[in-house]
């Protein structure tokens, strides 16, 4: 039996208590199951809210609104029923149980959107945009509106342009370079350059926008006893980490989410940096090093007046020095950023710096399409590399190789929008990041 011949159910809203909770059912049996729970034969009006008393075999579950959609006129393209319930986790649970008992199964994460994609309702870029919007918080959704459709249009326009240029290049393969004429060659070069510029701009924008679409990681690191855990607690606003005068207190990585002016970050506390004979402490240092490699920003903390210590190599511009324990009165070198976890001095400034460092200047030009996932960015990078290769092969012209690279550009752009059917594994990876009920 194909997975799509099964009917799936999931809460479409969170399980926390709320005024209204939506349970969504999709698949061939959705309408029959919906009607049965409402105690009726079938639905005759679709995309119309019915007031109904839901019942299972034993008792009444809820008096609610039921919204049936007849496929293909639904989000997934299949028959869909939505129950708009009085939102208590108990009611939601009992309605889902009744739907399961009627023959549906629980949906996998992202399965509703996956079905919508496979039924031709959404392309991959739109599907990812839904995931991103669901995960991102704050002001992002409003600023984000429309970016994905612009990226799709841009990718499709470039794909068409590549096909056009390829047709010209492949048509010229039988000619000697001298026969083609300088104007013809320059014309192709100009079109390739302008397509490359568009792609490179989109890649740059994607890199710049990346922190908006996934929570940037900020690590507090430095020698033992520098005051990392104290600063972590002060920024988190609660005593999450153990603080003590004993050097080597923290071993595990601790995390908390912080809201800064431009968005949300993940703040991490780590073990103090030193060689240690203690096996557990050494493991803590290994974890801190790993976290530093993955972090978007590493604040290197050293107390005022303490001799400088050597940070781990390879962090480049992601390293940002900060002096702690500013209340001790010792003078810090001029220009050093000084904070005190004890008095709170310098913390607001530090948060502003963190925000500026990880979010940069934000998104400047929302007229352009913006890649919102690593997958999209990787495809765009691959397309722009192949296009740059093609351009490099134009002088002197090696048209067969140019044609091969242009084919790669077009295929990569097609994979980006999903017009070329991507394989199951890629879809699995993509949709498993979704939350349940999407
Ligand atoms: N005066 C003063 N003392 C501080 C400040 N921050 C931390 N301390 C003290 O410094 C000592 C070490 O603090 P921690 O926050 O545990 O330092 P840590 O860097 O997490 O240490 P490890 O986990 O051992 O690497 C404790 O005795 C703190 O009370 C500060 O801003 N001012
Ligand atoms: Mg600590």
């Amino acid at each position: 039996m194909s997975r799509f011949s099964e009917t799936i159910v999931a809460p479409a809203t969170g399980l926390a208590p709320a005024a209204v909770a939506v349970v969504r059912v999709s698949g061939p049996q959705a309408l029959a199951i919906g009607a049965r729970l409402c105690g009726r034969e079938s639905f005759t009006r679709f995309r119309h809210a019915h007031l109904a008393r839901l019942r299972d075999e034993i008792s009444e579950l809820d008096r609610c609104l039921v919204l049936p959609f007849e496929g293909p006129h639904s989000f997934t393209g299949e028959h869909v029923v939505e129950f708009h319930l009085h939102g208590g986790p108990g009611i939601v649970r009992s309605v889902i149980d009744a739907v399961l008992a009627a023959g549906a199964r629980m949906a996998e994460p992202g399965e509703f959107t996956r079905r919508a994609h496979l039924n031709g309702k959404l392309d991959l870029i739109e599907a990812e945009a839904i995931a991103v919007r669901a995960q991102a918080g704050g002001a992002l959704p409003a600023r984000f509106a429309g970016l994905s459709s612009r990226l799709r249009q841009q990718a499709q326009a470039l794909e068409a342009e590549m096909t056009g240029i390829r047709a010209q290049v492949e048509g010229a393969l039988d000619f000697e370079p001298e026969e083609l004429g300088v104007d013809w060659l320059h014309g192709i070069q100009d079109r390739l350059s302008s397509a490359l510029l568009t792609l490179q701009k989109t890649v740059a924008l994607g890199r710049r926008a990346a922190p908006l679409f996934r929570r940037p990681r900020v690590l507090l690191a430095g020698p033992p006893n520098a005051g990392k855990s104290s600063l972590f607690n002060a920024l988190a606003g609660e005593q999450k980490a153990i603080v003590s005068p004993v050097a080597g207190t923290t071993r595990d990585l601790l995390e908390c989410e912080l809201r800064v002016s431009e968005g949300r970050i993940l703040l991490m506390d780590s073990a103090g940096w030193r060689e240690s004979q203690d096996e557990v402490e050494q493991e803590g240092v290994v974890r801190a090093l790993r976290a530093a490699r993955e972090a978007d920003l590493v604040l290197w903390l050293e107390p005022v007046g303490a001799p400088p210590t050597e940070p781990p190599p390879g962090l480049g511009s992601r390293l940002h020095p900060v002096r702690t324990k500013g209340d001790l009165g010792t003078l810090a070198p001029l220009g050093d950023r000084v904070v005190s976890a004890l008095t709170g001095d310098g913390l607001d400034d530090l948060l502003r710096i963190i925000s500026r460092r990880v979010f940069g200047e934000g998104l400047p030009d929302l007229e352009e399409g913006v890649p919102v996932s690593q997958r999209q960015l990787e495809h765009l990078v691959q397309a722009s590399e192949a296009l740059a290769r093609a351009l490099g092969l134009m002088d002197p012209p090696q048209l067969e190789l140019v044609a091969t690279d242009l084919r790669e550009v077009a295929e990569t752009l097609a994979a980006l929008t999903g017009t070329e059917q991507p394989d199951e594994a890629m879809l699995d990876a993509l949709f498993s990041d979704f939350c349940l009920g999407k």
Side-chain angles (χ1 to χ4, degrees), residues 61-311:
L61 303 172
D62 194 21
R63 187 160 176 269
C64 70
L65 287 180
V66 181
L67 204 54
F69 299 82
E70 193 177 31
H73 309 293
S74 70
F75 172 68
T76 57
E78 305 175 323
H79 292 330
V80 167
V81 168
E82 284 180 9
F83 299 109
H84 293 239
L85 307 165
H86 290 102
I91 296 178
V92 172
R93 192 68 254 172
S94 61
V95 170
I96 288 178
D97 283 346
V99 175
L100 293 174
R105 69 161 165 81
M106 274 315 277
E108 289 160 19
E111 195 170 1
F112 288 92
T113 315
R114 182 176 187 154
R115 289 184 176 203
H117 168 62
L118 290 170
N119 286 325
K121 289 275 172 180
L122 297 170
D123 73 12
L124 282 185
I125 290 182
E126 288 166 320
E128 274 170 330
I130 289 176
V132 167
R133 256 188 305 229
Q135 284 158 20
L140 181 60
R143 296 175 67 193
F144 180 76
L147 295 185
S148 61
S149 63
R150 265 172 253 145
L151 181 66
R152 189 188 61 233
Q153 286 160 7
Q154 204 171 310
Q156 284 169 344
L158 276 175
E159 198 188 328
E161 171 72 347
M162 286 306 119
T163 311
I165 304 178
R166 255 178 72 201
Q168 287 221 16
V169 168
E170 289 187 16
L173 286 180
D174 295 334
F175 295 85
E176 293 300 323
E178 313 78 67
E179 293 177 90
L180 292 170
V182 180
D183 285 350
W184 185 88
L185 285 172
H186 282 171
I188 298 285
Q189 271 172 325
D190 285 350
R191 284 172 74 181
L192 291 178
S193 302
S194 106
L196 181 59
L197 200 67
T198 308
L199 268 175
Q200 285 172 336
K201 261 171 71 182
T202 310
V203 167
L205 209 54
R207 294 222 163 98
R208 203 162 152 187
L212 290 172
F213 303 119
R214 58 169 184 81
R215 242 176 350 176
R217 295 164 167 266
V218 178
L219 179 72
L220 302 179
N225 251 351
K228 300 177 293 298
S229 301
S230 304
L231 184 61
F232 179 80
N233 290 340
L235 293 174
E238 57 176 313
Q239 302 299 310
K240 284 179 86 111
I242 301 173
V243 166
S244 92
V246 180
T249 299
T250 306
R251 274 95 192 276
D252 283 324
L253 285 174
L254 293 176
E255 298 179 349
C256 76
E257 185 175 275
L258 273 196
R259 184 165 273 291
V260 293
S261 51
E262 281 289 324
R264 292 179 301 172
I265 61 158
L266 194 71
L267 184 72
M268 292 186 291
D269 181 24
S270 62
W273 215 259
R274 69 170 173 188
E275 291 276 333
S276 167
Q277 300 306 317
D278 181 324
E279 227 174 85
V280 182
E281 187 181 352
Q282 200 51 46
E283 173 58 25
V285 175
V286 169
R287 288 175 188 211
L289 187 59
R290 208 178 300 138
R293 285 205 203 99
E294 290 168 6
D296 297 276
L297 180 66
V298 178
L299 298 179
W300 186 254
L301 309 186
E302 291 169 310
V304 285
T309 47
E310 193 64 31

